[in-house]
């Protein structure tokens, strides 16, 4: 190769290298998780990590707020100061996390809100399943299985978070036309030990309990343990939400829960949406994920999708 040719080849390589480099622009995504104390959230982070691994130009920085609104706000502020390219947040509570999310959004950092909502519209995209629909489907399913009547204990998720509110109102809608009666309700704040304690009170007060509707599977399992400890687990039907393979679906297989309604984590969808945003594409303001119901009859065949 003569000198001129070497130079030309070098130039071509350099230019193509530059092109490759600009296509491979490195993106930093900040992911603010409200807690990692529950299997469902561990799964969400794992889903995000797995989806991001398919894209070598994405780095996801994870923060765990340990169920503390102030800590979670501080994490979002840190991401803003570090000028990350995009923020994904699964907020603990709607009101306290609205301000930092708005601040990031107003400063031009795209924000994907995952699973629990914030107040208002100052974010780029919300991804989650329809909790009202899930609650309503649970109510209808429970009413149908109980011949339209019976006593219900409702163990609610954190009622200052939107899934708790929607799973509650949806459920009430679902049992409206039946004679199902909610005799006891309590906010167990998504946590199994709280659910167990609340159920102990319900069992002590009511000799006739037909169904426990818990806003998540840890809650339903906590209630089951309380009932088992007082020898009443066989006379009560337990229904939960989340439907993780190694949690809700397993409880259904084991005969602990009668049904678990799937609440997908949205981790994969969050990364795909993040990439679209980073590549300058328009994304919808809301993405609604589909969910299934797992029961003893359909668990071996993959559950049944909730109707549109
Ligand atoms: C985990 C969790 C899930 C529930 C979701 C609602 O923190 O409680 O069990 O489905 O949050 O946001």
């Amino acid at each position: 190769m003569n000198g001129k040719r070497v130079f030309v080849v070098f130039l071509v390589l350099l230019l193509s290298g530059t092109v490759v480099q600009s296509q491979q622009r490195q993106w930093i995504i900040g992911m603010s998780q409200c807690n990692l104390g529950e299997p469902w959230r561990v799964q969400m982070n794992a889903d995000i990590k797995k989806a991001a691994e398919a894209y070598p130009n994405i780095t996801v920085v994870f923060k765990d707020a340990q169920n503390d609104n102030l800590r979670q706000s501080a994490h979002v502020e840190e991401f803003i100061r570090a000028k990350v390219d995009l923020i994904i947040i699964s907020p603990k509570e709607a009101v306290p996390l609205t301000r930092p999310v708005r601040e990031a959004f107003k400063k031009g950092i795209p924000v994907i809100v995952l699973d629990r909502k914030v107040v208002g519209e100052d974010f780029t995209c919300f991804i989650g399943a329809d909790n009202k629909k899930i609650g309503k489907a649970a109510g209808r399913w429970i009413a149908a299985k109980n011949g339209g009547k019976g006593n219900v204990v409702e163990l609610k998720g954190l009622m200052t978070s939107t899934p708790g509110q929607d799973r509650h109102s949806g459920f009430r809608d679902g049992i409206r036309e039946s004679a199902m009666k909610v005799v006891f309700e309590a906010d167990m704040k998504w946590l199994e030990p709280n659910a167990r304690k609340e159920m102990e009170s319900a069992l002590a007060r009511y000799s006739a309990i037909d169904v426990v509707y818990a806003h998540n599977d840890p809650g339903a399992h906590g209630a089951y343990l309380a009932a088992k400890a007082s020898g009443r687990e066989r006379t009560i039907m337990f229904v939960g939400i989340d439907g993780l393979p190694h949690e809700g679906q397993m409880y259904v297989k084991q005969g602990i829960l009668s049904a678990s309604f799937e609440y997908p984590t949205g981790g994969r969808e969050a990364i795909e949406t993040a990439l679209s945003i980073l590549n300058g594409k328009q994304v919808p303001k809301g993405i609604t994920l589909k969910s299934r119901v797992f029961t003893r009859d359909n668990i071996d065949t993959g559950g049944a999708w909730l109707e549109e």
Side-chain angles (χ1 to χ4, degrees):
M1 239 190 255
N2 63 29
K4 194 169 164 207
R5 199 130 167 242
V6 170
F7 178 69
V8 171
V9 170
F10 175 69
L11 200 67
V12 168
L13 283 176
L14 186 75
L15 285 177
S16 57
T18 316
V19 172
V20 169
Q21 243 181 18
S22 69
Q23 275 175 352
Q24 285 292 303
R25 198 184 144 183
Q26 293 296 314
W27 304 111
I28 307 276
I29 297 176
M31 163 59 193
S32 164
Q33 180 59 272
C34 67
N35 79 78
L36 282 176
E38 293 149 84
W40 189 84
R41 301 215 165 259
V42 174
Q43 188 60 47
M44 182 197 276
N45 277 21
D47 291 344
I48 290 176
K49 189 163 173 277
K50 184 161 177 244
E53 271 163 12
Y55 304 98
N57 58 329
I58 292 184
T59 305
V60 184
V61 179
F62 290 91
K63 298 256 182 208
D64 168 16
Q66 296 167 29
N67 241 351
D68 179 338
N69 286 314
L70 277 179
R71 189 176 287 129
Q72 190 163 30
S73 301
H75 286 163
V76 176
E77 314 246 318
E78 269 176 55
F79 286 148
I80 297 172
R81 279 198 303 278
K83 297 195 168 51
V84 297
D85 297 296
L86 183 142
I87 293 173
I88 301 174
I89 178 170
S90 192
K92 180 178 179 202
E93 281 171 284
V95 172
L97 273 312
T98 296
R99 189 196 48 76
V101 165
R102 180 185 300 129
E103 188 189 331
F105 181 70
K106 295 269 186 212
K107 287 193 167 148
I109 301 178
V111 185
I112 296 176
V113 180
L114 198 52
D115 138 58
R116 297 185 189 169
K117 293 181 179 161
V118 291
V119 182
E121 298 287 309
D122 289 331
F123 54 85
T124 313
C125 176
F126 171 78
I127 303 176
D130 184 339
N131 284 301
K132 273 203 182 129
K133 184 172 159 177
I134 293 173
K136 189 167 179 181
R140 284 192 168 157
W141 191 88
I142 285 169
K145 288 287 165 197
N146 285 273
K149 61 180 193 315
N151 290 345
V152 182
V153 166
E154 182 180 3
L155 295 175
K156 298 183 280 192
L158 187 66
M159 288 303 279
T160 43
S161 72
T162 52
Q165 294 156 5
D166 292 347
R167 289 175 195 184
H168 169 72
S169 65
F171 178 72
R172 296 306 172 105
D173 226 23
I175 60 168
R176 180 151 303 139
E177 280 161 22
S178 75
M180 302 299 305
K181 199 170 154 220
V182 179
V183 291
F184 182 96
E185 56 184 299
D187 190 337
M188 50 85 181
K189 302 187 167 67
W190 304 118
L191 299 174
E192 176 159 340
N194 293 349
R196 189 175 174 159
K197 252 186 240 136
E198 295 296 351
M199 186 65 185
E200 279 165 8
S201 311
L203 288 161
R205 261 175 75 187
Y206 297 97
S207 55
I209 297 173
D210 302 294
V211 187
V212 171
Y213 164 60
H215 288 190
N216 67 358
D217 291 332
H221 188 245
Y224 168 84
L225 292 179
K228 191 158 186 252
S230 55
R232 288 171 64 182
E233 83 281 9
R234 285 181 197 285
T235 61
I236 301 172
M237 168 184 278
F238 299 88
V239 173
I241 296 173
D242 277 347
L244 287 179
H246 50 287
E247 192 180 48
Q249 290 184 46
M250 193 186 73
Y251 293 150
V252 170
K253 277 194 192 136
Q254 292 171 339
I256 291 173
L257 300 190
S258 297
S260 173
F261 288 75
E262 180 187 31
Y263 189 57
T265 70
R268 181 174 53 79
E269 293 80 357
I271 288 298
E272 278 160 14
T273 308
L275 267 169
S276 299
I277 296 169
L278 291 168
N279 288 319
K281 295 196 191 120
Q282 278 290 323
V283 299
K285 190 87 190 177
I287 296 176
T288 307
L289 306 172
K290 284 168 61 174
S291 37
R292 288 172 286 182
V293 56
F294 298 103
T295 64
R296 288 171 196 172
D297 298 336
N298 71 24
I299 187 81
D300 292 327
T301 50
W305 291 106
L306 297 195
E307 282 154 31
E308 286 308 308

